Amino acid sequence: MAELTPQDMAAKLMASGFERNGPSAITLSDPIVDTPISVTLDQLRPYDHDPRVARNPAYEDIKASIRERGLDAPPAITRRPGEAHYIIRNGGNTRLAILHELWSETKEERFFRITCLFRPWPQRGEIVALTGHLAENELRGGLTFIERALGIERARDLYEQENGGQPLSQSELARRLTTDGYPVQQSHISRMQDAVRYLLPAIPTVLYGGLGRHQVERLAVLRKACERTWDRRALGRTLAIDFAALFQDVLTQYDAPLDGFSIQRVQDELVGQMAALLEVDYDTLSLEIDDSETRQRILASNPAPSRPGDSAAASRHPSIPESPAQVLSPIAPAPTSASTPATPAAAVPPPQSGEDMEATAAPPTADRDEDDGGRLQAHIVSPAATTARLQSIQRIVADQMGDALPDFEANVLHAIPVQVGGLFPISDVWFIEPGLDAPDRLRVHIAQFAREIAEEGAVAKYVEASGRGIGFVCSAPGAAHNLLPFGGAVLCLLHALSDSPEALTGTDRAALVSELASLLRGGGPSGQRLSDAGFVKLFRLLRLARRLLDLETGMSTSNSGEGS
């Protein structure tokens, strides 16, 4: 066979058999990992479910910054599968609108073509995008109450679609929002739902103008109080209008700019029309509604958060419910020695003079800070799974809602008033004072708590202190058949906790399995359970026993409670 010349080879390569038969790719597929890409304003669209409806209050400031400095923080973008245009992924619709304005005004290329981080569309793309926009809007400019409410209602729809159409409770919705990075309390969701259902159809201008949470709450309380009074007085009567329509008609009259909105005027008009329709004196009806509104506000309000050093607030904290025979005493410092008796609850120190107050002044700040720091660490069993970003969002949402953000470091140092009668009062179930943190001291306290628990079942005489084990042992009752089922269960539980290898004659440890639930939570055939005081003592006994075993086995756990 003759060798091919370059001309022959070129002819074969140009033949029809080497032509492309398949379709040509018009556009490249999207990256499958986060990738910086350059896009133009023609290719980019705002996120269509953005919760922000009103103009960002910082719009002009942001525009001036972008005009002078350019776009320092380009928004992240993404693209839904099958769509031609990119969209803003999580926060950036305001910046996109400003770029369109600046491009229209200046025709500068830097406003038309921008480099953004492309992030692939995730599996739960719609929910991820919506919660991302909610969080970013909170961080960068804040949302009005109604914008936040509508965003959360949209999130509810998406979650219910994920859930196969099954409706979600408010608590479940709050849990899912928190999991996806936008924490909202269930009580706030309830207020938002009322605002969307009852207020938005009547006063959209007022709500979008920035009506705050407290004003929305006042309107919600007013509506419920008036509706309750209307239902009571209209019972069995035929009226020309129902309350829902009346409320909407009255509220619609006041849909004007926020500056001129007055809840008191709404209330006066609503009560006046109710009085005319119900044929009741205005003042009488107003008093009824005010009384009902006050009760409703008390029920709907959250308790005021306690502040460090506010002993009066701590003393008002509700005590653990107790049986009538046992009354909780006020908080007193737990003793640091077995030989130190408890201070009587009724002993109130006399008023101090100026010299006495100076003599009993608080220790230096450095010492207090060191003590507080040690006690704080003693309450941390495991670190909380959180991030600085999540904490920032929680802080901003709490500020917008008018609520106090829970502060672990401040609140943990307030001992919960669980102190109960007995030789060793309990002011804090978990914390172990340095003077108590020794095996012999721990055994003394454990034995005392065991005897006090046994007294509830009338079996205290069968519990004896011991210098070994966890500090006590249980002896066999002489007439086991005379023990009541509750007393036998209490004694059997204590014997099991004492970890004694010897069987306790006259008690059935197997029966403890069936008795344990009713013993701790109630609801059994006998209807008996440990009192709340006994329950607290049981928790304290277990806490001290765990610490004792750590010390005995030489574990390297400190009083911080790690691993105990």
PDB file of all heavy atoms in Angstrom, residues 480 483-496 504 506-520 524-526 528:
ATOM      1  N   ALA A 480     -40.877  -7.435 107.025  1.00  0.00           N
ATOM      2  CA  ALA A 480     -40.963  -6.921 105.666  1.00  0.00           C
ATOM      3  C   ALA A 480     -42.387  -6.890 105.155  1.00  0.00           C
ATOM      4  O   ALA A 480     -42.752  -6.028 104.359  1.00  0.00           O
ATOM      5  CB  ALA A 480     -40.101  -7.781 104.735  1.00  0.00           C
ATOM      6  N   LEU A 483     -44.360  -3.602 105.411  1.00  0.00           N
ATOM      7  CA  LEU A 483     -44.029  -2.419 104.622  1.00  0.00           C
ATOM      8  C   LEU A 483     -45.100  -2.168 103.575  1.00  0.00           C
ATOM      9  O   LEU A 483     -45.544  -3.081 102.879  1.00  0.00           O
ATOM     10  CB  LEU A 483     -42.682  -2.596 103.914  1.00  0.00           C
ATOM     11  CG  LEU A 483     -41.414  -2.531 104.774  1.00  0.00           C
ATOM     12  CD1 LEU A 483     -40.192  -2.745 103.897  1.00  0.00           C
ATOM     13  CD2 LEU A 483     -41.324  -1.203 105.483  1.00  0.00           C
ATOM     14  N   LEU A 484     -45.494  -0.911 103.455  1.00  0.00           N
ATOM     15  CA  LEU A 484     -46.420  -0.539 102.399  1.00  0.00           C
ATOM     16  C   LEU A 484     -45.682  -0.579 101.062  1.00  0.00           C
ATOM     17  O   LEU A 484     -44.457  -0.441 101.011  1.00  0.00           O
ATOM     18  CB  LEU A 484     -46.974   0.861 102.651  1.00  0.00           C
ATOM     19  CG  LEU A 484     -47.843   1.006 103.908  1.00  0.00           C
ATOM     20  CD1 LEU A 484     -48.226   2.470 104.112  1.00  0.00           C
ATOM     21  CD2 LEU A 484     -49.085   0.134 103.805  1.00  0.00           C
ATOM     22  N   PRO A 485     -46.419  -0.755  99.938  1.00  0.00           N
ATOM     23  CA  PRO A 485     -45.741  -0.826  98.633  1.00  0.00           C
ATOM     24  C   PRO A 485     -44.870   0.401  98.355  1.00  0.00           C
ATOM     25  O   PRO A 485     -43.756   0.281  97.824  1.00  0.00           O
ATOM     26  CB  PRO A 485     -46.907  -0.927  97.643  1.00  0.00           C
ATOM     27  CG  PRO A 485     -48.022  -1.531  98.425  1.00  0.00           C
ATOM     28  CD  PRO A 485     -47.863  -1.025  99.832  1.00  0.00           C
ATOM     29  N   PHE A 486     -45.350   1.589  98.742  1.00  0.00           N
ATOM     30  CA  PHE A 486     -44.568   2.790  98.493  1.00  0.00           C
ATOM     31  C   PHE A 486     -43.285   2.784  99.319  1.00  0.00           C
ATOM     32  O   PHE A 486     -42.197   3.081  98.804  1.00  0.00           O
ATOM     33  CB  PHE A 486     -45.408   4.032  98.824  1.00  0.00           C
ATOM     34  CG  PHE A 486     -44.661   5.323  98.663  1.00  0.00           C
ATOM     35  CD1 PHE A 486     -44.325   5.808  97.408  1.00  0.00           C
ATOM     36  CD2 PHE A 486     -44.273   6.068  99.771  1.00  0.00           C
ATOM     37  CE1 PHE A 486     -43.626   6.998  97.255  1.00  0.00           C
ATOM     38  CE2 PHE A 486     -43.581   7.261  99.625  1.00  0.00           C
ATOM     39  CZ  PHE A 486     -43.259   7.718  98.364  1.00  0.00           C
ATOM     40  N   GLY A 487     -43.376   2.438 100.590  1.00  0.00           N
ATOM     41  CA  GLY A 487     -42.190   2.384 101.436  1.00  0.00           C
ATOM     42  C   GLY A 487     -41.192   1.350 100.948  1.00  0.00           C
ATOM     43  O   GLY A 487     -39.981   1.587 100.956  1.00  0.00           O
ATOM     44  N   GLY A 488     -41.702   0.188 100.510  1.00  0.00           N
ATOM     45  CA  GLY A 488     -40.811  -0.828  99.987  1.00  0.00           C
ATOM     46  C   GLY A 488     -40.098  -0.373  98.728  1.00  0.00           C
ATOM     47  O   GLY A 488     -38.910  -0.655  98.535  1.00  0.00           O
ATOM     48  N   ALA A 489     -40.807   0.371  97.867  1.00  0.00           N
ATOM     49  CA  ALA A 489     -40.193   0.860  96.640  1.00  0.00           C
ATOM     50  C   ALA A 489     -39.110   1.892  96.951  1.00  0.00           C
ATOM     51  O   ALA A 489     -38.035   1.889  96.343  1.00  0.00           O
ATOM     52  CB  ALA A 489     -41.254   1.469  95.720  1.00  0.00           C
ATOM     53  N   VAL A 490     -39.376   2.782  97.919  1.00  0.00           N
ATOM     54  CA  VAL A 490     -38.381   3.787  98.301  1.00  0.00           C
ATOM     55  C   VAL A 490     -37.134   3.114  98.854  1.00  0.00           C
ATOM     56  O   VAL A 490     -36.001   3.445  98.481  1.00  0.00           O
ATOM     57  CB  VAL A 490     -38.971   4.768  99.329  1.00  0.00           C
ATOM     58  CG1 VAL A 490     -37.876   5.669  99.896  1.00  0.00           C
ATOM     59  CG2 VAL A 490     -40.074   5.609  98.705  1.00  0.00           C
ATOM     60  N   LEU A 491     -37.321   2.155  99.740  1.00  0.00           N
ATOM     61  CA  LEU A 491     -36.183   1.466 100.341  1.00  0.00           C
ATOM     62  C   LEU A 491     -35.402   0.684  99.292  1.00  0.00           C
ATOM     63  O   LEU A 491     -34.165   0.666  99.302  1.00  0.00           O
ATOM     64  CB  LEU A 491     -36.675   0.525 101.455  1.00  0.00           C
ATOM     65  CG  LEU A 491     -35.586  -0.176 102.264  1.00  0.00           C
ATOM     66  CD1 LEU A 491     -34.712   0.832 102.991  1.00  0.00           C
ATOM     67  CD2 LEU A 491     -36.207  -1.164 103.258  1.00  0.00           C
ATOM     68  N   CYS A 492     -36.116   0.046  98.376  1.00  0.00           N
ATOM     69  CA  CYS A 492     -35.448  -0.728  97.329  1.00  0.00           C
ATOM     70  C   CYS A 492     -34.639   0.188  96.407  1.00  0.00           C
ATOM     71  O   CYS A 492     -33.530  -0.145  95.989  1.00  0.00           O
ATOM     72  CB  CYS A 492     -36.490  -1.507  96.536  1.00  0.00           C
ATOM     73  SG  CYS A 492     -35.804  -2.835  95.528  1.00  0.00           S
ATOM     74  N   LEU A 493     -35.188   1.376  96.092  1.00  0.00           N
ATOM     75  CA  LEU A 493     -34.467   2.327  95.244  1.00  0.00           C
ATOM     76  C   LEU A 493     -33.186   2.788  95.933  1.00  0.00           C
ATOM     77  O   LEU A 493     -32.113   2.821  95.318  1.00  0.00           O
ATOM     78  CB  LEU A 493     -35.367   3.523  94.937  1.00  0.00           C
ATOM     79  CG  LEU A 493     -34.692   4.693  94.204  1.00  0.00           C
ATOM     80  CD1 LEU A 493     -34.190   4.254  92.839  1.00  0.00           C
ATOM     81  CD2 LEU A 493     -35.637   5.873  94.072  1.00  0.00           C
ATOM     82  N   LEU A 494     -33.269   3.134  97.207  1.00  0.00           N
ATOM     83  CA  LEU A 494     -32.083   3.581  97.935  1.00  0.00           C
ATOM     84  C   LEU A 494     -31.042   2.469  98.022  1.00  0.00           C
ATOM     85  O   LEU A 494     -29.839   2.711  97.912  1.00  0.00           O
ATOM     86  CB  LEU A 494     -32.477   4.067  99.324  1.00  0.00           C
ATOM     87  CG  LEU A 494     -33.315   5.358  99.361  1.00  0.00           C
ATOM     88  CD1 LEU A 494     -33.768   5.640 100.793  1.00  0.00           C
ATOM     89  CD2 LEU A 494     -32.508   6.534  98.821  1.00  0.00           C
ATOM     90  N   HIS A 495     -31.518   1.233  98.236  1.00  0.00           N
ATOM     91  CA  HIS A 495     -30.584   0.104  98.307  1.00  0.00           C
ATOM     92  C   HIS A 495     -29.873  -0.082  96.964  1.00  0.00           C
ATOM     93  O   HIS A 495     -28.663  -0.352  96.921  1.00  0.00           O
ATOM     94  CB  HIS A 495     -31.330  -1.169  98.696  1.00  0.00           C
ATOM     95  CG  HIS A 495     -30.455  -2.394  98.718  1.00  0.00           C
ATOM     96  ND1 HIS A 495     -29.395  -2.541  99.588  1.00  0.00           N
ATOM     97  CD2 HIS A 495     -30.480  -3.517  97.958  1.00  0.00           C
ATOM     98  CE1 HIS A 495     -28.799  -3.699  99.365  1.00  0.00           C
ATOM     99  NE2 HIS A 495     -29.443  -4.322  98.380  1.00  0.00           N
ATOM    100  N   ALA A 496     -30.609   0.073  95.873  1.00  0.00           N
ATOM    101  CA  ALA A 496     -29.991  -0.062  94.551  1.00  0.00           C
ATOM    102  C   ALA A 496     -28.953   1.033  94.322  1.00  0.00           C
ATOM    103  O   ALA A 496     -27.890   0.786  93.753  1.00  0.00           O
ATOM    104  CB  ALA A 496     -31.070  -0.011  93.476  1.00  0.00           C
ATOM    105  N   LEU A 504     -31.170  -7.403  99.777  1.00  0.00           N
ATOM    106  CA  LEU A 504     -31.882  -6.861 100.939  1.00  0.00           C
ATOM    107  C   LEU A 504     -33.083  -7.748 101.213  1.00  0.00           C
ATOM    108  O   LEU A 504     -34.049  -7.776 100.450  1.00  0.00           O
ATOM    109  CB  LEU A 504     -32.325  -5.423 100.650  1.00  0.00           C
ATOM    110  CG  LEU A 504     -32.847  -4.643 101.851  1.00  0.00           C
ATOM    111  CD1 LEU A 504     -31.759  -4.481 102.904  1.00  0.00           C
ATOM    112  CD2 LEU A 504     -33.340  -3.276 101.409  1.00  0.00           C
ATOM    113  N   GLY A 506     -36.436  -9.236 102.297  1.00  0.00           N
ATOM    114  CA  GLY A 506     -37.759  -8.648 102.509  1.00  0.00           C
ATOM    115  C   GLY A 506     -38.164  -7.659 101.443  1.00  0.00           C
ATOM    116  O   GLY A 506     -39.277  -7.135 101.485  1.00  0.00           O
ATOM    117  N   THR A 507     -37.291  -7.377 100.496  1.00  0.00           N
ATOM    118  CA  THR A 507     -37.661  -6.465  99.406  1.00  0.00           C
ATOM    119  C   THR A 507     -37.409  -7.166  98.080  1.00  0.00           C
ATOM    120  O   THR A 507     -36.548  -8.044  97.982  1.00  0.00           O
ATOM    121  CB  THR A 507     -36.839  -5.169  99.450  1.00  0.00           C
ATOM    122  OG1 THR A 507     -35.462  -5.475  99.295  1.00  0.00           O
ATOM    123  CG2 THR A 507     -37.069  -4.429 100.758  1.00  0.00           C
ATOM    124  N   ASP A 508     -38.173  -6.798  97.122  1.00  0.00           N
ATOM    125  CA  ASP A 508     -38.103  -7.406  95.804  1.00  0.00           C
ATOM    126  C   ASP A 508     -37.536  -6.382  94.831  1.00  0.00           C
ATOM    127  O   ASP A 508     -38.233  -5.447  94.427  1.00  0.00           O
ATOM    128  CB  ASP A 508     -39.499  -7.850  95.361  1.00  0.00           C
ATOM    129  CG  ASP A 508     -39.467  -8.595  94.026  1.00  0.00           C
ATOM    130  OD1 ASP A 508     -38.350  -8.820  93.511  1.00  0.00           O
ATOM    131  OD2 ASP A 508     -40.539  -8.928  93.509  1.00  0.00           O
ATOM    132  N   ARG A 509     -36.262  -6.536  94.477  1.00  0.00           N
ATOM    133  CA  ARG A 509     -35.645  -5.567  93.572  1.00  0.00           C
ATOM    134  C   ARG A 509     -36.280  -5.630  92.194  1.00  0.00           C
ATOM    135  O   ARG A 509     -36.312  -4.633  91.477  1.00  0.00           O
ATOM    136  CB  ARG A 509     -34.144  -5.802  93.466  1.00  0.00           C
ATOM    137  CG  ARG A 509     -33.397  -5.557  94.755  1.00  0.00           C
ATOM    138  CD  ARG A 509     -31.900  -5.587  94.592  1.00  0.00           C
ATOM    139  NE  ARG A 509     -31.415  -4.479  93.762  1.00  0.00           N
ATOM    140  CZ  ARG A 509     -30.129  -4.129  93.710  1.00  0.00           C
ATOM    141  NH1 ARG A 509     -29.228  -4.796  94.417  1.00  0.00           N
ATOM    142  NH2 ARG A 509     -29.743  -3.135  92.945  1.00  0.00           N
ATOM    143  N   ALA A 510     -36.804  -6.783  91.817  1.00  0.00           N
ATOM    144  CA  ALA A 510     -37.462  -6.877  90.511  1.00  0.00           C
ATOM    145  C   ALA A 510     -38.730  -6.021  90.465  1.00  0.00           C
ATOM    146  O   ALA A 510     -39.109  -5.493  89.418  1.00  0.00           O
ATOM    147  CB  ALA A 510     -37.788  -8.334  90.196  1.00  0.00           C
ATOM    148  N   ALA A 511     -39.379  -5.900  91.651  1.00  0.00           N
ATOM    149  CA  ALA A 511     -40.599  -5.090  91.679  1.00  0.00           C
ATOM    150  C   ALA A 511     -40.299  -3.611  91.478  1.00  0.00           C
ATOM    151  O   ALA A 511     -41.191  -2.833  91.127  1.00  0.00           O
ATOM    152  CB  ALA A 511     -41.325  -5.289  93.013  1.00  0.00           C
ATOM    153  N   LEU A 512     -39.033  -3.220  91.698  1.00  0.00           N
ATOM    154  CA  LEU A 512     -38.676  -1.811  91.531  1.00  0.00           C
ATOM    155  C   LEU A 512     -38.861  -1.362  90.087  1.00  0.00           C
ATOM    156  O   LEU A 512     -39.175  -0.197  89.835  1.00  0.00           O
ATOM    157  CB  LEU A 512     -37.227  -1.590  91.959  1.00  0.00           C
ATOM    158  CG  LEU A 512     -36.705  -0.152  91.870  1.00  0.00           C
ATOM    159  CD1 LEU A 512     -37.517   0.764  92.767  1.00  0.00           C
ATOM    160  CD2 LEU A 512     -35.231  -0.082  92.228  1.00  0.00           C
ATOM    161  N   VAL A 513     -38.707  -2.286  89.157  1.00  0.00           N
ATOM    162  CA  VAL A 513     -38.870  -1.939  87.742  1.00  0.00           C
ATOM    163  C   VAL A 513     -40.280  -1.427  87.481  1.00  0.00           C
ATOM    164  O   VAL A 513     -40.480  -0.424  86.789  1.00  0.00           O
ATOM    165  CB  VAL A 513     -38.562  -3.158  86.850  1.00  0.00           C
ATOM    166  CG1 VAL A 513     -38.824  -2.843  85.379  1.00  0.00           C
ATOM    167  CG2 VAL A 513     -37.126  -3.614  87.056  1.00  0.00           C
ATOM    168  N   SER A 514     -41.280  -2.087  88.047  1.00  0.00           N
ATOM    169  CA  SER A 514     -42.658  -1.664  87.826  1.00  0.00           C
ATOM    170  C   SER A 514     -43.039  -0.489  88.705  1.00  0.00           C
ATOM    171  O   SER A 514     -43.957   0.272  88.370  1.00  0.00           O
ATOM    172  CB  SER A 514     -43.614  -2.838  88.081  1.00  0.00           C
ATOM    173  OG  SER A 514     -43.485  -3.303  89.425  1.00  0.00           O
ATOM    174  N   GLU A 515     -42.342  -0.310  89.833  1.00  0.00           N
ATOM    175  CA  GLU A 515     -42.699   0.760  90.760  1.00  0.00           C
ATOM    176  C   GLU A 515     -41.938   2.061  90.487  1.00  0.00           C
ATOM    177  O   GLU A 515     -42.347   3.116  90.958  1.00  0.00           O
ATOM    178  CB  GLU A 515     -42.397   0.316  92.198  1.00  0.00           C
ATOM    179  CG  GLU A 515     -43.254  -0.831  92.700  1.00  0.00           C
ATOM    180  CD  GLU A 515     -44.684  -0.384  92.978  1.00  0.00           C
ATOM    181  OE1 GLU A 515     -44.904   0.833  93.100  1.00  0.00           O
ATOM    182  OE2 GLU A 515     -45.565  -1.263  93.057  1.00  0.00           O
ATOM    183  N   LEU A 516     -40.836   1.979  89.725  1.00  0.00           N
ATOM    184  CA  LEU A 516     -39.963   3.139  89.601  1.00  0.00           C
ATOM    185  C   LEU A 516     -40.665   4.324  88.943  1.00  0.00           C
ATOM    186  O   LEU A 516     -40.545   5.463  89.399  1.00  0.00           O
ATOM    187  CB  LEU A 516     -38.712   2.767  88.797  1.00  0.00           C
ATOM    188  CG  LEU A 516     -37.647   3.861  88.682  1.00  0.00           C
ATOM    189  CD1 LEU A 516     -37.156   4.277  90.047  1.00  0.00           C
ATOM    190  CD2 LEU A 516     -36.480   3.391  87.814  1.00  0.00           C
ATOM    191  N   ALA A 517     -41.408   4.061  87.868  1.00  0.00           N
ATOM    192  CA  ALA A 517     -42.067   5.165  87.159  1.00  0.00           C
ATOM    193  C   ALA A 517     -43.041   5.894  88.059  1.00  0.00           C
ATOM    194  O   ALA A 517     -43.025   7.128  88.153  1.00  0.00           O
ATOM    195  CB  ALA A 517     -42.773   4.633  85.916  1.00  0.00           C
ATOM    196  N   SER A 518     -43.905   5.145  88.756  1.00  0.00           N
ATOM    197  CA  SER A 518     -44.883   5.790  89.640  1.00  0.00           C
ATOM    198  C   SER A 518     -44.194   6.440  90.830  1.00  0.00           C
ATOM    199  O   SER A 518     -44.661   7.467  91.344  1.00  0.00           O
ATOM    200  CB  SER A 518     -45.918   4.774  90.112  1.00  0.00           C
ATOM    201  OG  SER A 518     -45.298   3.708  90.817  1.00  0.00           O
ATOM    202  N   LEU A 519     -43.066   5.881  91.267  1.00  0.00           N
ATOM    203  CA  LEU A 519     -42.342   6.457  92.396  1.00  0.00           C
ATOM    204  C   LEU A 519     -41.786   7.840  92.040  1.00  0.00           C
ATOM    205  O   LEU A 519     -41.815   8.760  92.866  1.00  0.00           O
ATOM    206  CB  LEU A 519     -41.187   5.520  92.798  1.00  0.00           C
ATOM    207  CG  LEU A 519     -40.293   5.963  93.963  1.00  0.00           C
ATOM    208  CD1 LEU A 519     -41.076   5.974  95.254  1.00  0.00           C
ATOM    209  CD2 LEU A 519     -39.078   5.053  94.073  1.00  0.00           C
ATOM    210  N   LEU A 520     -41.337   8.011  90.809  1.00  0.00           N
ATOM    211  CA  LEU A 520     -40.714   9.269  90.415  1.00  0.00           C
ATOM    212  C   LEU A 520     -41.706  10.270  89.829  1.00  0.00           C
ATOM    213  O   LEU A 520     -41.620  11.460  90.109  1.00  0.00           O
ATOM    214  CB  LEU A 520     -39.600   9.000  89.406  1.00  0.00           C
ATOM    215  CG  LEU A 520     -38.433   8.150  89.909  1.00  0.00           C
ATOM    216  CD1 LEU A 520     -37.407   7.946  88.808  1.00  0.00           C
ATOM    217  CD2 LEU A 520     -37.779   8.782  91.128  1.00  0.00           C
ATOM    218  N   GLY A 524     -49.210   5.833  89.435  1.00  0.00           N
ATOM    219  CA  GLY A 524     -49.300   4.399  89.638  1.00  0.00           C
ATOM    220  C   GLY A 524     -50.587   4.000  90.344  1.00  0.00           C
ATOM    221  O   GLY A 524     -51.428   4.834  90.697  1.00  0.00           O
ATOM    222  N   PRO A 525     -50.766   2.702  90.607  1.00  0.00           N
ATOM    223  CA  PRO A 525     -51.988   2.231  91.286  1.00  0.00           C
ATOM    224  C   PRO A 525     -52.170   2.861  92.663  1.00  0.00           C
ATOM    225  O   PRO A 525     -53.289   3.178  93.067  1.00  0.00           O
ATOM    226  CB  PRO A 525     -51.773   0.707  91.384  1.00  0.00           C
ATOM    227  CG  PRO A 525     -50.773   0.394  90.311  1.00  0.00           C
ATOM    228  CD  PRO A 525     -49.888   1.590  90.218  1.00  0.00           C
ATOM    229  N   SER A 526     -51.061   3.061  93.374  1.00  0.00           N
ATOM    230  CA  SER A 526     -51.181   3.626  94.720  1.00  0.00           C
ATOM    231  C   SER A 526     -51.388   5.134  94.701  1.00  0.00           C
ATOM    232  O   SER A 526     -51.840   5.716  95.682  1.00  0.00           O
ATOM    233  CB  SER A 526     -49.925   3.295  95.533  1.00  0.00           C
ATOM    234  OG  SER A 526     -48.793   3.941  94.966  1.00  0.00           O
ATOM    235  N   GLN A 528     -49.131   7.275  94.853  1.00  0.00           N
ATOM    236  CA  GLN A 528     -48.094   7.932  95.638  1.00  0.00           C
ATOM    237  C   GLN A 528     -46.828   8.105  94.810  1.00  0.00           C
ATOM    238  O   GLN A 528     -46.516   7.308  93.930  1.00  0.00           O
ATOM    239  CB  GLN A 528     -47.768   7.102  96.896  1.00  0.00           C
ATOM    240  CG  GLN A 528     -48.798   7.243  98.011  1.00  0.00           C
ATOM    241  CD  GLN A 528     -48.326   6.533  99.265  1.00  0.00           C
ATOM    242  OE1 GLN A 528     -48.281   5.305  99.311  1.00  0.00           O
ATOM    243  NE2 GLN A 528     -47.977   7.304 100.280  1.00  0.00           N
TER     244      GLN A 528
END
